[in-house]
Amino acid sequence: PVPGGRTAPPCTPQSLRWTEDWTCLADPAKRTSPLEALRYLPLGDDPDVYLSIGGEARYNYTYWSALNMGAKGKDKLSALQQRLRLVADLHLGRNVRAFVELGDNREFFETFATPPNRDKLDINQAFVDVTLPVGETTKLTLRPGRFEMPIGNGKLVGLRDGVNVRYVYQGIRGTLIEEGKFRVDAFAVKPVTFEPGMFDDSPEKGRHFNGVYLASAPGLLAPNLAVDLYWYDLYRENARYAALTGTESRRSWGLRLSGRARGFDWDAEGTYQNGSFAGRKIQAWGMLLEGGYTFADMPMKPRLGARFNWFSGDDDPGDGKIGTFAPPFPRTPLYSDAGWLNMSNLIDVTPTLTVKPTKKLTLVGGPELFWRATSADAVYAGPTNFPLLRPTDGSRFVGTGLNAQADYLMTKNLSFHAFFTHFIASDSLKSGGGRNSDYFGFWAAFRF
């Protein structure tokens, strides 16, 4: 077991590099290429003692006709992002490992700088895993250091993979796994800031993130159902909502139900938030619903899906309370890769159609409609919950996004991703300075 779950399928590069399992190459006859030889370098006779060296190169072209949907004037942006990674994963038996990942992040041809894409050579991850057997089927893994940490379905605490620099944290994480029954994650970390120079990243001052996530195995409590419970504690100075700025201490209490059976899949999550911000009480909530049905026996295996999210806003700025929902570290491409809108004061409805013309190609498309949860609050953007626009006509309708996505896995090492969205701004959004916007992104990623 590794923090957050189990290892990935053997001999397959993963987005989360520390979940990879390369013991499948212990037999020298299976190391058929120089890159595979690097993934398993034996350090003795014990097959569980080895060094694994890997890497990643990703080039991502992005274009926004309006990066901030009109909120900051003319802000057309076209750029090429370069993400380079070098990984060293040392295994000293089944219970001790040390992991280091170096990262170099740059952008080229940009009309203006976008900070999350600029971070020269630095330590992206560096941690030690110590696994303690508690029983025959129970293990506890402690992870001190610097690491990436998506949690649950990765929506409220995600990766931020659309830019070069993902969310990275520094602190300690512990994972207790009872095989076939449950998993408990507990962590106390600080987010790591990224600076444009070399080896200058550090934990952010005035901010911390603690939490506990309990996940049951599917079928443990009910057939075809997994039940998750979680608690997050986020503290940050200089937070901002609408016209207020101040210190925020926000706690999130959540329940998630997910599963699949007979072609259906579903994921339902509800979160209540309390705490304080700038001397005011926080009372906010969010609801995330997603599901679909896959016609597995039909050509291209079409899946009809739908998503419905509702995140509260502050409907009375003068009542001494803050009602705006704010996710801790959101997956910004929850709506689209454009990353225009955040999970604050927002309702969205999205029908989708997914098809697989081949085993390696997946196509997804569909419209997405947005409303403000309350017209008294703003439209928010980005992972920092920045108030982007404030419509003035009182209408709640924000606009419609028309999305198209393509993913192609050419080999287990090389993949391609493309996303296009056209956002049609409502008259209400235009009254606050918004406008129609387009986004196109294409990346090619090579991992070994």
Side-chain angles (χ1 to χ4, degrees):
V2 296
R6 299 182 179 277
T7 52
C11 280
T12 304
Q14 300 294 314
S15 176
L16 296 174
R17 307 311 303 267
W18 42 267
T19 66
E20 295 173 351
D21 178 10
W22 295 98
T23 55
C24 52
L25 298 178
D27 181 356
K30 294 182 178 180
R31 298 172 221 152
T32 58
S33 72
L35 292 181
E36 287 183 334
L38 286 174
R39 293 319 319 249
Y40 186 91
L41 300 171
L43 301 177
D45 296 331
D46 188 341
D48 293 316
V49 179
Y50 66 95
L51 174 66
S52 180
I53 297 177
E56 176 184 356
R58 189 184 82 169
Y59 288 88
N60 184 13
Y61 171 76
T62 55
Y63 167 81
W64 285 267
S65 65
L67 181 63
N68 296 283
M69 302 174 72
K72 297 183 179 180
K74 294 182 178 180
D75 53 357
K76 181 172 71 173
L77 176 62
S78 175
L80 178 66
Q81 305 168 10
Q82 174 186 272
R83 173 197 284 179
L84 301 177
R85 296 288 184 270
L86 182 63
V87 172
D89 191 3
L90 175 63
H91 290 254
L92 301 175
R94 296 188 177 185
N95 296 327
V96 179
R97 65 100 69 96
F99 183 96
V100 176
E101 181 182 60
L102 299 179
D104 187 88
N105 309 278
R106 315 213 180 192
E107 63 178 351
F108 307 99
F109 318 118
E110 73 282 359
T111 50
F112 54 87
T114 50
N117 294 311
R118 295 182 164 215
D119 185 19
K120 294 180 181 178
L121 186 62
D122 217 312
I123 299 174
N124 191 63
Q125 300 187 80
F127 60 81
V128 175
D129 278 351
V130 178
T131 300
L132 307 173
V134 180
E136 291 185 1
T137 59
T138 308
K139 293 184 179 181
L140 171 65
T141 300
L142 300 178
R143 172 175 289 183
R146 179 180 294 185
F147 41 80
E148 298 169 353
M149 191 179 64
I151 298 177
N153 56 19
K155 292 181 179 179
L156 300 186
V157 182
L159 278 178
R160 191 174 62 180
D161 212 18
V163 297
N164 277 340
V165 184
R166 290 173 168 177
Y167 296 124
V168 178
Y169 310 87
Q170 190 160 311
I172 188 167
R173 178 180 185 179
T175 300
L176 178 69
I177 295 180
E178 172 68 27
E179 187 175 345
K181 293 184 179 180
F182 65 83
R183 182 183 75 245
V184 181
D185 262 305
F187 56 90
V189 299
K190 286 180 172 291
V192 174
T193 63
F194 53 90
E195 302 295 336
M198 297 176 61
F199 296 106
D200 54 1
D201 295 352
S202 61
E204 185 175 346
K205 296 180 180 179
R207 200 173 188 189
H208 71 243
F209 183 40
N210 307 325
V212 178
Y213 195 100
L214 169 62
S216 72
L220 179 65
L221 301 178
N224 305 309
L225 183 68
V227 180
D228 299 359
L229 298 170
Y230 57 85
W231 167 81
Y232 302 141
D233 171 37
L234 178 65
Y235 174 87
R236 58 177 182 154
E237 298 175 355
N238 300 318
R240 183 180 175 186
Y241 299 97
L244 291 176
T245 302
T247 297
E248 176 186 35
S249 179
R250 183 181 292 255
R251 292 172 291 277
S252 302
W253 311 77
L255 168 67
R256 177 185 171 218
L257 306 174
S258 60
R260 60 179 61 244
R262 295 182 293 276
F264 290 96
D265 62 87
W266 58 88
D267 194 325
E269 184 172 354
T271 306
Y272 172 75
Q273 296 183 331
N274 62 6
S276 63
F277 165 71
R280 303 186 179 196
K281 291 183 178 180
I282 294 174
Q283 291 183 348
W285 57 270
M287 178 175 61
L288 303 92
L289 305 176
E290 188 167 2
Y293 181 80
T294 300
F295 298 86
D297 296 329
M298 292 182 61
M300 299 193 294
K301 301 185 186 303
R303 176 186 179 271
L304 295 177
R307 183 172 64 238
F308 174 73
N309 300 318
W310 191 324
F311 305 107
S312 65
D314 193 20
D315 57 4
D316 187 356
D319 64 357
K321 300 178 182 178
I322 296 294
T324 306
F325 182 85
F329 295 91
R331 185 178 76 193
T332 45
L334 177 66
Y335 308 118
S336 82
D337 285 10
W340 283 310
L341 301 173
N342 198 3
M343 306 176 201
S344 299
N345 188 41
L346 202 67
I347 300 170
D348 78 280
V349 177
T350 309
T352 60
L353 172 63
T354 303
V355 295
K356 293 183 68 65
T358 70
K359 291 182 178 180
K360 296 184 176 182
L361 176 62
T362 303
L363 305 176
V364 186
E368 189 154 27
L369 287 78
F370 299 95
W371 292 262
R372 285 185 292 166
T374 172
S375 60
D377 205 347
V379 174
Y380 290 81
T384 57
N385 306 93
F386 184 79
L388 183 67
L389 292 163
R390 182 178 287 278
T392 59
D393 69 348
S395 173
R396 293 166 54 193
F397 186 55
V398 174
T400 303
L402 304 177
N403 303 326
Q405 176 180 335
D407 290 279
Y408 183 63
L409 185 64
M410 178 174 288
T411 70
K412 68 178 183 180
N413 302 101
L414 180 62
S415 62
F416 300 91
H417 170 83
F419 197 101
F420 172 77
T421 184
H422 173 63
F423 184 82
I424 306 171
S426 68
D427 291 340
S428 177
L429 192 69
K430 291 178 180 178
S431 74
R435 66 173 185 266
N436 295 350
S437 307
D438 292 306
Y439 167 84
F440 174 74
F442 175 81
W443 79 53
F446 177 79
R447 296 189 182 102
F448 70 92

